[in-house]
Amino acid sequence: MPEQPAASQQPLAELSSVMQDYLKQICTATEWDDVPMTTSLLASLVGVSPSTASEMIRKLAVLGMVNHRPYGAVELTPTGRRIALQMMRRHRLVETYLVAELGYSWDEVHDEAEVLEHSISDLMLARIDAKLGNPTRDPHGDPIPSEAGVLQLPDARRLSLLQPGETGVIARISDDNPEMLRYFLEIRIALDVQVTVVKRLPFGAGTAIRLGNEGGQVDMGDAAISSIWVTS
């Protein structure tokens, strides 16, 4: 079931770009994994000290963007989630445009989008969306929230959870590591490619997979295999 958009309460422009980034990071970090967002984890993801993250969380709480109890998880309020989804939409549409129209590779777009998502107008974003034909996912398979704030995740699970003999279709590839994305390009890992788990390699050496129906075997380490999500 698609999630229902939160009611509009506070304009995006009223928040600083840093605040917008915090809200987006909280939302994206818990999008595919059901993990509690702690202050220390958020600080690590944003690249700041825990004290700096704690102070920003306090400011966002005062604005009604997050809920946070001492030593507890940081959670977005409906208003905070609405703004986070707006930023996710901006980021992912920009990434998609850079790849589809400007010839960027999927390992190059994240940092560019981090800058552009704060500077383009709503009109330009709407034109980008129309130019691309209203895409529903970005180059890495992350869903693009609708203009109304609806986010539809595919029914996908990590490739690492498949057992030998099971087959899936690649639906999402984490963009956390640009070097890994370049490696995936080399071995022809891409969205919508069928992948079959052949066997677990001995002594923790990773997993052997097969791409397509007649593709050759590829041996992948745990970090790589855990960065890929597949649908049945």
Side-chain angles (χ1 to χ4, degrees):
M1 293 287 293
E3 300 177 12
Q4 296 301 311
S8 177
Q9 298 179 28
Q10 183 163 1
L12 183 65
E14 291 184 10
L15 299 180
S16 70
S17 60
V18 175
M19 289 178 172
Q20 294 167 5
D21 285 338
Y22 268 79
L23 296 175
K24 184 186 68 175
Q25 189 62 256
I26 294 170
C27 198
T28 56
T30 56
E31 182 179 12
W32 292 92
D33 294 301
D34 186 17
V35 295
M37 177 54 65
T38 63
T39 300
S40 57
L41 175 57
L42 182 57
S44 174
L45 293 171
V46 178
V48 299
S49 68
S51 61
T52 298
S54 181
E55 177 61 19
M56 179 56 71
I57 291 169
R58 186 192 66 79
K59 292 178 180 178
L60 291 170
V62 169
L63 292 172
M65 300 290 114
V66 301
N67 292 319
H68 179 238
R69 294 179 179 177
Y71 309 107
V74 182
E75 298 179 344
L76 295 171
T77 65
T79 302
R81 180 167 177 79
R82 176 183 61 81
I83 292 176
L85 289 171
Q86 288 181 21
M87 295 310 301
M88 289 166 63
R89 174 174 168 80
R90 283 173 162 264
H91 184 94
R92 293 173 181 178
L93 276 174
V94 169
E95 284 194 335
T96 306
Y97 183 78
L98 291 174
V99 169
E101 300 295 329
L102 299 184
Y104 279 71
S105 177
W106 67 350
D107 59 293
E108 300 174 321
V109 294
H110 179 76
D111 289 345
E112 294 275 20
E114 284 290 298
V115 176
L116 293 170
E117 68 191 37
H118 298 291
S119 58
I120 62 174
S121 67
D122 290 339
L123 176 59
M124 178 173 285
L125 189 71
R127 295 287 174 85
I128 287 174
D129 190 26
K131 175 70 174 179
L132 296 172
N134 310 115
T136 58
R137 66 178 183 179
D138 73 8
H140 313 103
D142 285 313
I144 299 173
S146 71
E147 189 174 5
V150 177
L151 180 69
Q152 182 68 64
L153 282 174
D155 185 15
R157 55 179 173 153
R158 289 183 190 267
L159 180 56
S160 57
L161 297 178
L162 267 63
Q163 298 302 312
E166 287 191 281
T167 296
V169 176
I170 296 176
R172 190 247 178 177
I173 300 171
S174 172
D175 64 346
D176 289 343
N177 189 330
E179 283 192 32
M180 188 173 291
L181 289 175
R182 289 190 284 272
Y183 164 68
F184 286 153
L185 281 178
E186 292 177 3
I187 62 174
R188 299 183 180 180
I189 293 285
L191 297 180
D192 302 324
V193 169
Q194 180 179 288
V195 58
T196 301
V197 174
V198 178
K199 62 180 179 179
R200 305 293 182 203
L201 301 176
F203 311 113
T207 302
I209 65 169
R210 183 174 66 251
L211 301 178
N213 292 322
E214 300 178 358
Q217 180 174 304
V218 178
D219 297 341
M220 299 179 65
D222 291 342
I225 210 83
S226 295
S227 298
I228 299 171
W229 277 252
V230 298
T231 55
S232 300

